[in-house]
Amino acid sequence: MIRVAIVGSTGYTGAELVRLLSHHREVEIVALTSQSYVDQPYEKVYPSLTDHVGLTCQAQNVEALMADVDAVFLALPHGLSVPWAQEAYRQGKKVIDLGADFRFRQVQTYESWYKTKHEAPELLGQAVYGLPELNRDKIRKSVIVANPGCYPTASILGLAPLLKNKLVNPQKIIIDAKSGISGAGRSAKLGSLYGEVNENVKAYGVATHRHTPEIEQEAAALLGLAPEDITLSFTPHLMPMTRGILATIYCDLQENLSITATEVRQIYKDFYGGEPFIHITEENQWPETKWCYGSNYVFIGLTIDERTKRLIVTTAIDNLVKGAAGQAIQNMNLLFDLPETEGIDRPGIWP
């Protein structure tokens, strides 16, 4: 059995890790840490997991905890993962970081967008960006996996076949994305209150959202370019729902390119052929967030607007599963040479 710890286990992402891992046939959860609920039984924090997790929340003692595990999941705010990653690297343990601290290959990008000094830039070269559909072989050989952000997961998976096949102008990409409120975390905030969110839709982080450079970095890599060689527009919106992300991506086809939506759809099917979690929808079938609610699945639909010659792609994921905890487990399965779908192959919940 793989012995794992979840650091930051009482946030929404941590709780989703606990829910999924509690039924993983090859995993034993040996430690759950929390800053707010130390010494409280986990099932008292999340009664929905009563009789599934017999652990008590413990303090975050890096060295003691790391010595007793094979892998650690870090479900922490940015800037807090470095001590854990350093100790895991020192002890030869695997780490899957669900925060932003190891997602960027250039430390200047991280420090500029997150306004935080990176305390271990030497480890960035040891980290692999954990999007299995693109980096599967690298993930298997890694020690530190940087789990992608939720918006970047939806956006990059929607863009990858287009960029890899150089079908669109990389300087004219617009991503309009909507997310459920759970993406804001469990902490009490004015903007997350029911009265603020219910019956309301709002844009936020307009032209400044921190997931923008992450999407640009991976888009540039698909094109064989440096991150600074691509600039795209990304605008997120908050929706009055609990889970889900729907990203609609607008791209200008390369000049003088003659191609049909049917041909592009086949390119997507070929690119993602054999991928266990990706579904390409048929013509005029558009993804909905409800289709993947509670699951690790991704739905991608597309068409070409013949009037504007613009290619439109829509991607739906669950922000807490494929956008966070499910993808982290997918990465853990790769790290330990397990079936990639182990523990996360459940269908979505409907309605």
Side-chain angles (χ1 to χ4, degrees):
M1 297 288 280
I2 302 165
R3 295 170 61 83
V4 306
I6 301 168
V7 179
S9 67
T10 53
Y12 286 146
T13 297
E16 193 72 347
L17 279 166
V18 175
R19 181 180 75 88
L20 295 169
L21 287 171
S22 66
H23 288 273
H24 194 296
R25 291 179 293 184
E26 302 294 335
V27 166
E28 179 186 1
I29 303 174
V30 297
L32 300 172
T33 81
S34 174
Q35 287 190 324
S36 303
Y37 299 96
V38 174
D39 295 332
Q40 293 192 37
Y42 195 81
E43 63 183 28
K44 298 297 183 183
V45 182
Y46 283 100
S48 60
L49 290 167
T50 298
D51 294 335
H52 292 274
V53 184
L55 293 173
T56 296
C57 297
Q58 64 186 70
Q60 297 178 353
N61 185 317
V62 179
E63 291 186 15
L65 184 145
M66 201 68 67
D68 195 38
V69 302
D70 302 305
V72 60
F73 292 90
L74 305 178
L76 298 168
H78 73 272
L80 301 182
S81 294
V82 168
W84 295 92
Q86 287 175 316
E87 187 62 23
Y89 191 73
R90 187 182 73 80
Q91 293 193 28
K93 305 298 177 69
K94 304 290 188 181
V95 58
I96 301 103
D97 182 20
L98 287 84
D101 290 0
F102 293 94
R103 291 176 186 164
F104 296 96
R105 289 182 276 279
Q106 297 180 351
V107 68
Q108 299 91 341
T109 304
Y110 171 83
E111 292 181 344
S112 173
W113 283 80
Y114 283 82
K115 310 303 180 188
T116 302
K117 180 176 174 56
H118 201 292
E119 299 298 335
E122 71 279 1
L123 287 182
L124 294 180
Q126 305 301 318
V128 172
Y129 192 74
L131 196 57
E133 290 77 9
L134 302 184
N135 295 326
R136 184 171 282 111
D137 292 339
K138 292 180 181 179
I139 293 165
R140 285 194 175 105
K141 301 172 185 175
S142 65
V143 176
I144 301 172
V145 177
N147 215 60
C150 51
Y151 282 125
T153 294
S155 302
I156 296 162
L157 290 175
L159 281 168
L162 303 179
L163 297 175
K164 197 68 176 178
N165 288 280
K166 296 180 169 57
L167 300 182
V168 298
N169 183 338
Q171 301 300 335
K172 293 187 176 181
I173 296 172
I174 298 172
I175 303 170
D176 179 294
K178 282 89 173 173
S179 175
I181 190 63
S182 59
R186 200 182 188 206
S187 300
K189 309 180 188 75
L190 176 62
S192 301
L193 295 177
Y194 180 82
E196 302 286 329
V197 176
N198 184 47
E199 298 185 20
N200 189 30
V201 178
K202 63 179 179 181
Y204 65 100
V206 179
T208 62
H209 197 281
R210 292 164 171 169
H211 283 167
T212 305
E214 186 180 337
I215 300 169
E216 289 177 342
Q217 172 184 269
E218 298 309 310
L222 286 160
L223 290 163
L225 301 174
E228 59 268 21
D229 292 334
I230 182 171
T231 304
L232 52 78
S233 295
F234 168 67
T235 304
H237 300 75
L238 187 64
M239 302 295 288
M241 61 186 188
T242 303
R243 292 173 180 250
I245 282 179
L246 189 75
T248 302
I249 306 166
Y250 302 89
C251 308
D252 285 0
L253 290 167
Q254 292 285 14
E255 194 171 349
N256 299 322
L257 175 65
S258 178
I259 195 167
T260 66
T262 299
E263 291 170 329
V264 175
R265 185 171 289 103
Q266 189 59 50
I267 288 171
Y268 271 74
K269 289 181 176 180
D270 292 342
F271 188 90
Y272 288 123
E275 289 294 343
F277 293 112
I278 297 197
H279 298 300
I280 310 302
T281 65
E282 296 303 323
E283 183 179 1
N284 296 323
Q285 185 185 33
W286 293 99
E288 302 176 19
T289 57
K290 199 72 171 178
W291 295 356
C292 42
Y293 194 98
S295 84
N296 203 54
Y297 290 97
V298 182
F299 290 86
I300 302 175
L302 62 94
T303 195
I304 293 175
D305 184 338
E306 294 298 338
R307 297 183 310 107
T308 62
K309 299 303 178 186
R310 187 169 290 124
L311 200 153
I312 304 171
V313 180
T314 295
T315 307
I317 66 170
D318 184 314
N319 58 296
L320 290 179
V321 189
K322 182 59 174 174
Q327 185 149 257
I329 295 169
Q330 192 177 354
N331 283 317
M332 183 206 70
N333 288 338
L334 290 169
L335 287 171
F336 289 93
D337 198 29
L338 298 174
E340 194 167 328
T341 60
E342 178 60 44
I344 48 174
D345 58 351
R346 306 170 190 175
I349 300 168
W350 190 278

